[in-house]
Amino acid sequence: MCESFAEDLLAWYDRHARELPWRISPADHAKGLRPDPYRIWLSEVMLQQTTVAAVKDYFNRFTTRWPDVAALAAAPDAEVMAEWAGLGYYARARNLLACARVVADAGGFPQTEAGLLTLPGVGPYTAAAIASIAFATPAVVVDGNVERVTSRIFAMGDPLPAARPKLRELAAQLSPQKRPGDYAQAMMDLGATICTPRNPACTICPVFAHCEARRLGIAADLPRKTPKAAKPERAGVVYIARRPSDGAWLIETRPDKGLLGGMPGFPGSDWAVGGAPAHEPPLAADWLTLNGEVRHTFTHFHLTLQIRITRSEAEPQQGAWRPAFSPAALPTVMRKAWDLAAPQFHDV
DNA sequence: AATACGTGGGG
DNA sequence: TCCCCAAGTAT
């Protein structure tokens, strides 16, 4: 049954594989063509907790600008962070660059799962994905799609995340030794297009016959998940200043660790439950509080941000004047603040 | 082991 | 509107 599961899935993949910028087609794969490990690695890191739709443009811009790992390794940190701006989980970008430099120094990517696992930003999923897709090594590739598909095939009702080790065992039972890369990508495509979280399309599923949850009519209820804690409300203040003499913006680079680490932003208060903690503005001036506020939701809290603006020529105590600053380099929450403030500076 | 870490789209 | 979630990793 396991054997024919993989056969049925791969037969479907041969006809229905999605065309994606980092992929080569199953037909070309069969001719012995191999995808570029650099492109597979880059796409897998971008795709961590991120949708294909969101990744495509970023992937194309990165590979156009930095066509190989040596080019990326030589890039200045700020340029890579700016190119990543808006994609989220910015530790990925910092680790991406660290990883590129390790790999460029080594003269190429490690070709084993264990070797890949030592790289910054490469965890169990990504190591297995690169090993199977780029190096044709059988590996048990388990991501959210595989967990969902597997829980349904076996009608495994234990809730995530506790069920993760058991699901990995079950996924290993399904995984074939042949065509590991195609199989991994087939599971992704199945999970993304047929075996979806809501309203799975069981009637057109290529592995319909193997699916215990479908047989029981409970596919849409799996996998079960333990409820998540509610997100707390936090609030803060940001200060947006512009220098009339040259149009420079007051920008600080956030510390490498923590939220939005390594990204540019506007100086301001900490963000706390119950309101902005006491703080000093980044420079002495008359600050105007805007009527509108920024609302933004992070993974683990909601945020309301008050915006204060001024025009000034003073030397700041936080951040620095940046005459050539582009808002495209901002993380989304800061870009929202900029969107609100920028019209107030139309005459600067 | 549990928590921190972004964002945009869909129902 | 609000909640869920998408090719997870680091600590």
Side-chain angles (χ1 to χ4, degrees), chain A residues 215-234:
Chain A
R215 195 182 69 74
L216 296 169
I218 60 170
D221 303 323
L222 297 177
R224 289 161 62 181
K225 299 193 175 181
T226 53
K228 292 167 186 166
K231 294 184 196 331
E233 281 291 342
R234 295 194 201 178

Side-chain angles (χ1 to χ4, degrees), chain A residues 22-45:
Chain A
W22 46 89
R23 275 193 185 171
I24 61 175
S25 71
D28 283 344
H29 208 166
K31 292 177 198 160
L33 263 62
R34 288 285 170 268
D36 179 353
Y38 169 68
R39 294 167 66 86
I40 296 303
W41 161 73
L42 178 61
S43 67
E44 290 299 344
V45 172

Side-chain angles (χ1 to χ4, degrees), chain A residues 44-51 58 80-81 84-96 121 228 231 256 258-263 296-300 331-332:
Chain A
E44 290 299 344
V45 172
M46 287 184 166
L47 286 161
Q48 289 166 5
Q49 298 289 286
T50 308
T51 58
Y58 283 88
V80 174
M81 299 310 286
W84 196 277
L87 196 56
Y89 283 148
Y90 298 99
R92 292 185 295 174
R94 301 193 302 275
N95 285 329
L96 187 81
K228 292 167 186 166
K231 294 184 196 331
D256 270 350
L259 191 68
L260 310 178
M263 296 298 286
H296 191 75
T297 298
F298 293 96
T299 307
H300 52 299
T332 298

